[in-house]
Amino acid sequence: MSRTPLRAAVVGTGHRARTFTRGLAARPGHRVAALCDPNPARMAFHNRLLTAEGEPAATTWEPRCFADLLAEEDIDEVVVTTVDAAHDRYVVPALRAGCRVVTEKPMTVDAERCARILDAVRETGNSLTVAFNYRFNPVHEKVRALLADGAIGEVLSVHFEWLLDTRHGADYFRRWHREKALSGGLAVHKSGHHFDLVNWWLADEPQEVFGYGRLGFYGPEAGRRHGLRRDYERAHGAARAADDPFALDLASDDTLRALYLDAERHDGYLRDRNVFGGPVTIEDDMAVLVRYTRGATMTYHLTAYSPWEGYRVMFNGSGGRLELEVEESRWQRPVTRVASDSGAPHGDTAAEHAGGARLTLRALWKPPADIPLDVDHEAHGGGDPRMLDALFGPLDAGRAADPGAAGHPTATERDGALALAVGLAANRCFETGRPVAVRDLIPGLWER
């Protein structure tokens, strides 16, 4: 017997929300019944995605009517993909309405909002999942399995370097992420990938954080200092942007034009701002040191202006060393005015000049061993489709989900808070120059 599809609301209909709109539309057990966004043009774009999948168009709602949406549309599940600072505005009422909630990473952007979400989960007992898609990347799962099996004994330290190239890294400085009040900065925004990964890999919790961060490449002052700044506010229609390799050409791509350029008249949001214009209130270079409850330490560095994109992570243990290197893009050509659907910058599609991945086990008293890997540079390393299977079931109801997704431990509100805590603590260190105890940052997390 067929069952009535679960009725879903997608809140926030920007680029990343496409993954969920399409993913839900393709699964017969779910139906996108409502869309919520301040911009009608973006909701219309998502309704076109739905009808292209053979699904009925969803009703459209303004954010101020979110409570009415939940009641009148009989919503079972809510997916929150708004600006990060607004997540709690929808997560909390959806939990209190009895809905299952999935929120994009990071869970939120500050300790106060985090406490509101944790209180709502505790008081209602309802389900909140944070969409940490990198947990579902098969390469990352292989690392976790090796560590859990004791391949290098007790993990004593982690060294983690993440590089965003001048295509992907620059994109955070064109859009709303450049304002720390909206995104929490890259220490918070990237906590949804990097700090959660280490927490998950180690099966441990961060205890104390110290770090330094600065804006050294992007922004008006650094742009002038390095001779990179062009004098324009946004790329569209600006003659000075015509030969600027950091400019984004919204008009050249159907998706970007529909989601942003054609939508500007409704809310004034500019998606193609000058990365060397102001104001920019986030950092582009940061060094972070974390101590975990069982004694391991992590040294982490994020560079958002690298010539290549990828990451290196090394684990030192009592029985040896595990080394992972992933080249997501070996280099970027100096194209004039970036024209893409932002799939590659966001990990949805493989980057130009994608490289490979290498995982090496160096056990004590043994020659190094290269661990076979199945590398996928699309959909966040293959994480997105496997995460969707785990969250909403397989695409084909008669097919078993990917064994790597079935039964996979999805991230809870506690996981979201612990990843967020590292980014928040790092931000505080950037301001004060002093270490931060995680327990002092989000009081009561361990008692909830």
Side-chain angles (χ1 to χ4, degrees):
M1 293 179 60
S2 61
R3 61 182 177 86
T4 303
L6 295 173
R7 294 175 62 79
V10 175
V11 187
T13 53
H15 188 277
R16 177 60 180 163
R18 297 187 311 165
T19 297
F20 294 95
T21 298
R22 286 171 167 164
L24 288 164
R27 288 167 166 82
H30 303 263
R31 169 152 294 161
V32 178
L35 300 169
C36 182
D37 194 284
N39 194 300
R42 285 196 285 273
M43 289 191 286
F45 176 89
H46 278 255
N47 263 331
R48 291 195 292 275
L49 295 179
L50 290 173
T51 56
E53 293 283 347
E55 287 287 292
T59 59
T60 58
W61 295 77
E62 296 180 4
R64 62 184 176 84
C65 300
F66 183 62
D68 295 331
L69 178 164
L70 294 175
E72 295 181 23
E73 296 290 349
D74 193 23
I75 296 298
D76 301 297
E77 52 191 2
V78 174
V79 178
V80 180
T81 59
T82 64
V83 168
D84 299 340
H87 285 180
D88 65 303
R89 297 181 202 168
Y90 306 100
V91 169
V92 170
L95 288 169
R96 297 196 185 283
C99 300
R100 177 208 182 191
V101 184
V102 175
T103 184
E104 257 297 336
K105 59 202 176 304
M107 189 169 76
T108 186
V109 299
D110 60 38
E112 293 73 23
R113 289 177 171 91
C114 182
R116 285 191 66 215
I117 292 172
L118 294 174
D119 285 342
V121 173
R122 176 176 53 83
E123 292 166 9
T124 64
N126 288 335
S127 170
L128 173 63
T129 302
V130 185
F132 286 149
N133 53 356
Y134 259 28
R135 289 187 176 202
F136 294 87
N137 181 324
V139 172
H140 300 157
E141 290 182 331
K142 176 69 75 173
V143 169
R144 189 174 193 269
L146 286 167
L147 296 176
D149 289 344
I152 61 169
E154 178 189 352
V155 179
L156 303 175
S157 67
V158 184
H159 305 281
F160 198 170
E161 178 185 29
W162 201 291
L163 301 161
L164 300 172
D165 64 27
T166 47
R167 181 77 57 84
H168 185 183
D171 208 44
Y172 292 102
F173 296 83
R174 298 185 186 111
R175 48 192 165 105
W176 58 264
H177 294 83
R178 65 196 263 156
E179 299 179 47
K180 188 170 281 192
L182 299 178
S183 69
L186 287 177
V188 163
H189 188 73
K190 285 298 177 184
S191 70
H193 280 325
H194 312 168
F195 301 141
D196 175 69
L197 270 181
V198 178
N199 294 349
W200 182 65
W201 278 331
L202 298 182
D204 203 355
E205 297 180 352
Q207 184 177 65
E208 190 172 45
V209 178
F210 182 70
Y212 291 110
R214 65 179 297 207
L215 181 64
F217 185 82
Y218 300 104
E221 181 181 343
R224 283 191 293 267
R225 189 167 71 248
H226 302 307
L228 297 170
R229 175 174 164 76
R230 307 289 182 91
D231 190 18
Y232 63 90
E233 180 186 5
R234 53 90 56 93
H236 185 69
R240 296 297 303 275
D243 61 348
D244 183 0
F246 289 94
L248 179 66
D249 189 355
L250 294 175
S252 68
D253 180 84
D254 290 342
T255 298
L256 289 179
R257 185 189 308 111
L259 279 175
Y260 301 108
L261 191 60
D262 294 346
E264 287 178 9
R265 60 191 176 88
H266 297 290
D267 58 13
Y269 172 61
L270 303 181
R271 176 62 178 80
D272 60 344
R273 297 176 71 182
N274 185 350
V275 300
F276 300 112
V280 176
T281 55
I282 66 173
E283 298 81 12
D284 57 26
D285 190 292
M286 60 192 71
V288 179
L289 176 64
V290 183
R291 181 160 57 92
Y292 287 82
T293 56
R294 293 202 298 270
T297 57
M298 175 183 68
T299 55
Y300 169 88
H301 201 107
L302 174 69
T303 302
Y305 50 89
S306 171
W308 71 279
E309 173 134 337
Y311 48 103
R312 300 184 180 103
V313 57
M314 288 77 73
F315 303 85
N316 294 308
S318 60
R321 178 178 169 97
L322 185 65
E323 302 172 345
L324 172 66
E325 178 170 305
V326 177
E327 286 185 308
E328 294 182 334
S329 176
R330 299 179 64 243
W331 65 286
Q332 287 290 353
R333 65 177 71 249
V335 294
T336 300
R337 299 194 68 171
V338 178
S340 84
D341 68 356
S342 72
H346 289 274
D348 297 338
T349 60
E352 186 181 26
H353 308 303
R358 181 177 178 180
L359 181 61
T360 305
L361 175 61
R362 300 180 184 273
L364 292 180
W365 325 121
K366 296 180 181 179
D370 288 331
I371 308 299
L373 295 175
D374 182 15
V375 179
D376 183 350
H377 285 291
E378 297 193 11
H380 290 94
D384 281 342
R386 299 167 91 239
M387 179 185 72
L388 291 172
D389 271 4
L391 291 175
F392 306 117
L395 281 171
D396 181 351
R399 174 184 65 83
D402 185 319
H408 193 287
T410 52
T412 67
E413 73 284 347
R414 182 178 180 82
D415 299 318
L418 288 169
L420 172 66
V422 179
L424 294 180
N427 276 340
R428 185 172 294 181
C429 293
F430 300 163
E431 296 174 359
T432 66
R434 297 183 178 183
V436 173
V438 172
R439 284 179 179 265
D440 295 338
L441 192 66
I442 306 178
L445 174 60
W446 282 263
E447 288 74 39
R448 293 175 189 271

